[in-house]
Amino acid sequence: MTTRAFLQHRLPPISVIIAGLVLATMIVLVIFAALIAPMDPRDVSSYSLIDMEIPPSFMDGGDPRFLLGTDNQGRDLVSVILFGLRISIIIGIGAVLLAAIIGVALGLIAGYFGGIIDTILMRVGDVLVSFPTILVALLISGVARAQLSGATVSEWAPVILICAIALNEWVQYARTVRASTMVENARDYVRAAKVIGLPSRRIMLRHILPNVMSSVMVIATINLAGAILTEATLSFLGAGMPATYPSLGTLIRIGNQFLFSGLWWIAVMPAAVLVVLVLAVNVIGDYLRDRFNPKLMAH
Amino acid sequence: MNTQTPPVLDIKNLRVEYPLTNGGTLVAVNDIDLTIRPGEIHALVGESGAGKTTVGNALMGLLQAPGRIAGGSISIAGKQINTRTGRTEGIVPGRDVGAIFQDPMTSLNPLFTVESQLCEGMLAHLKISRKEARARALDLLKAVGIPEPERRLGSYPHQLSGGQRQRVVIATALACDPRLIVADEPTTALDVSVQAQILKLIRDLADERRVGVLLVTHNMGVVAEIADRVTIMQNGSVVESGSARGVLTSPKAPYARTLIAAVPPIEHRLERLPVPSEETPATLKAREAVRGKTRSAAESKEDEPMLAVRELCVEYGQRSFLPSRRTAFKAVKSVSFDVKRGEIFGLVGESGCGKTTVANTIAGLVAPTSGSVHFQGVALEAGRTKSVRQSMQMVFQDPYSALNPRMRINAAIAEPILFYELASNAAEAREDAAILLEAVGLNGQSGERFAHAFSGGQRQRIAIARALGPQPSMLICDEPTSALDVSVQAQLLNLLKDLRDLAGLSMLFISHDLAVIRQMCDRVAVMKGGEIVELAETETLFSSPQHEYTRELLRLAPSLDRILKAENTAA
């Protein structure tokens, strides 16, 4: 009885295992997208308008070459979704990483030094989070569009999106890391390091940082889903990835125009993939949060 | 004693097991017998992990699953406990068995007043009206000696002092006239003066109300002070049991003898505490290596004190732009003392007297409000040079938080060695770390492990090894042994003395335990309310204390010797 209880305690619930498998599959597909996808959506010569608006292969009028059908330009939906998924995941992870790096660094500094440095950093953060992420991101990509040429914007769109999302998201990391840093700061091993005479930077990086990272990992996983959704929203609104290099959000926007003319698959297929992706990440994130840090539930 | 009355507690062949994840079982309590008669205080002593708290939990039905009673029987007031459910027919925990826990801050609910905490149990168990319960609560508060009981009924726990809180906990335990009280380390979190009062209260209650008390403690002085009978446990088994005086004065089992010998006596000073030494040849060799590396203490003039503290004041306060909203609490008020070369200087006092603040200020963790600290003739107010930081190291109280949980032990010890360039490369620093580990009595190979693989005493040894790494000339020890078991404490105190002789260290030694201070220190300062009330040679202070407060502390400290002496004069 105890062995089984032990195993049940250690193994995550079945939903988490499924979510993990789904996410792992998506990541493998995305890494090898160029090999798996029947065509390259960025290569104009690989598709033609003749194949436009073909329904999925399992429907009447479907074509076995196009498993999920084609869009209004004749692009194979399987291929555009794979590449769109790739760009969505890259932007999501990139934004989370950038936000985590900024947030952890500022949180450590604020929590370790306290006083006026802490006050300034945290008030700046308060001001930033009082703007909705979408608004800040729209502003940044709007400014970028106004200042740069169309071609440059298309080229730099992923970087602009990553920065726009991270600018708002780092505050949450900074707050959590600041609080954990203050706790660790009062513990004897940090005080011992101070008495030894180690410089502050070394104490922060070598002693405090490894002890606050577990909560950062949990927030990062939860925020990954949010970052992917923000990117999709921006692209859907036209402020994100261009149609020539579409993310899932861009694909949904394109499909949205044809939703009521019977060509539902152009919008629904990428939307379904987005839902599955975000759901999988969320399930894993919730599990990690409950497992490692019950105190974070308020977020 | 009347043999007709059934014992309030009768434990026979009790065995408590915890299943382990690898399929085996951990026997926490193995085949113990224990009997408590009405009005008797039975002390259950042993070091951490001995299973003494498990016994208390088992009889109150508080065993944490998957722990279970695997055999034997427990009878409370003649009624047998159901070993499967942990409950007894006709016996209600809270009514027939009262509990007093260690920390009075956490065993009272901070959101309820004293009155509601006291009346809750009575209303649930005694079927009396709220008015009667209130009257009874008032009686109880009077019985446990709380001043202004009427007013205190309406107080919240945070408005009471530690001693008052523990009195309320005792009143709660007594609320339904229990036959038996389980007191688990009831005075460990309290100062000696409060401890003395609480112990007297428990003794009086046992005598007047004929309540049986199971007193779980690690403190031999407490046992000597109030217990009638004592049972010594080791690794879940009873080692020795008998009358408190008999066991304490002439223990028969070897373990009981070692345990009692390890208690530092307050009445006289020993060269070393009599615990089995664990100096292997490797330890001695490593210590020679450490001695070879020690910088000569004759760097500066001999007559100059190592540390000179003058009129040190430290205030903690609320900073504000408005002067009227600034508040200040004076933690240290004008403290002055010297620590001579090679001396162990003691600071002793009750909690909140400012002794730790003094240590933190000297170590540079807290900024002083005014006053000066000179270290080897150098004023520290202007800022600390690297060599000053290197020369002054600290050992902290809590061995569990003193080591970085994410760092290997040898890396933690090697870090300051590398930082002060006492080794030319990382490999050499690791060798030095291994030597230091040997010198503090640990295996040099164990450095590859993380802190959680070590016991509290071992961790404190590691913390000492880390502090020795920068080859300091002064060591600040803030209650280095108060979180440890008595035999481990004795070993560590011996170790610190050895290291002082070995490396010519000066030490500032802070403790609340007068017996430890007497064993360790050359001179000692007694602190009260942020001030030094008395400063003298240790032997002078203990043999002829001048200040009233010092005399009171000495009188109230629970002492094994006093019992032994009383026994000798009686014999």
Side-chain angles (χ1 to χ4, degrees), chain B residues 312-380:
Chain B
L312 185 72
C313 295
V314 183
E315 288 179 9
Y316 292 117
Q318 189 81 45
R319 278 181 298 177
S320 171
F321 289 119
L322 303 173
S324 60
R325 285 182 58 187
R326 283 178 207 152
T327 55
F329 166 70
K330 288 189 176 174
V332 176
K333 303 167 194 163
S334 191
V335 161
S336 304
F337 62 87
D338 286 342
V339 179
K340 297 177 193 155
R341 258 162 224 290
E343 178 183 56
I344 303 185
F345 185 86
L347 270 185
V348 68
E350 298 189 292
S351 55
C353 75
K355 53 192 193 300
T356 294
T357 306
V358 170
N360 286 342
T361 312
I362 294 168
L365 292 169
V366 173
T369 312
S370 66
S372 72
V373 179
H374 284 72
F375 180 68
Q376 294 180 322
V378 183
L380 299 185

Side-chain angles (χ1 to χ4, degrees), chain B residues 8-32:
Chain B
V8 288
L9 179 69
D10 193 13
I11 297 179
K12 285 221 174 1
N13 306 327
L14 178 69
R15 182 181 171 91
V16 179
E17 289 179 353
Y18 285 86
L20 296 176
T21 45
N22 63 12
T25 33
L26 174 87
V27 183
V29 173
N30 188 12
D31 201 20
I32 76 155

Side-chain angles (χ1 to χ4, degrees), chain B residues 1 57 75 101 105 114 153 174-175 226 258 283 299 314 362 370 395 441 477 524 566:
Chain B
M1 199 160 287
N57 285 346
S75 305
F101 296 104
M105 191 66 237
V114 169
L153 275 182
L174 288 172
I226 65 165
T258 342
T283 312
E299 273 173 16
V314 183
I362 294 168
S370 66
V395 176
C477 302
V524 56

Side-chain angles (χ1 to χ4, degrees), chain A residues 189 191 196 206-207 211, chain B residues 360 401 404 406-407 415 420:
Chain A
Y189 73 89
R191 298 170 70 210
I196 285 169
R206 235 173 107 70
H207 290 273
N211 287 295
Chain B
N360 286 342
S401 81
N404 188 338
R406 306 272 170 146
M407 231 171 159
E415 185 175 37
Y420 287 110

Side-chain angles (χ1 to χ4, degrees), chain B residues 5 71 202-203 210 326 341 352 376 406 419 451 468 479 483 489 498 512 517 533-534 536 560-562 566:
Chain B
T5 47
I202 293 177
R203 178 74 261 180
R210 311 300 297 158
R326 283 178 207 152
R341 258 162 224 290
Q376 294 180 322
R406 306 272 170 146
F419 179 71
L468 292 177
E479 304 260 14
Q489 162 172 291
D498 290 347
H512 68 281
I517 288 282
V533 297
E534 186 167 0
L560 260 181
D561 281 24
R562 205 175 300 147

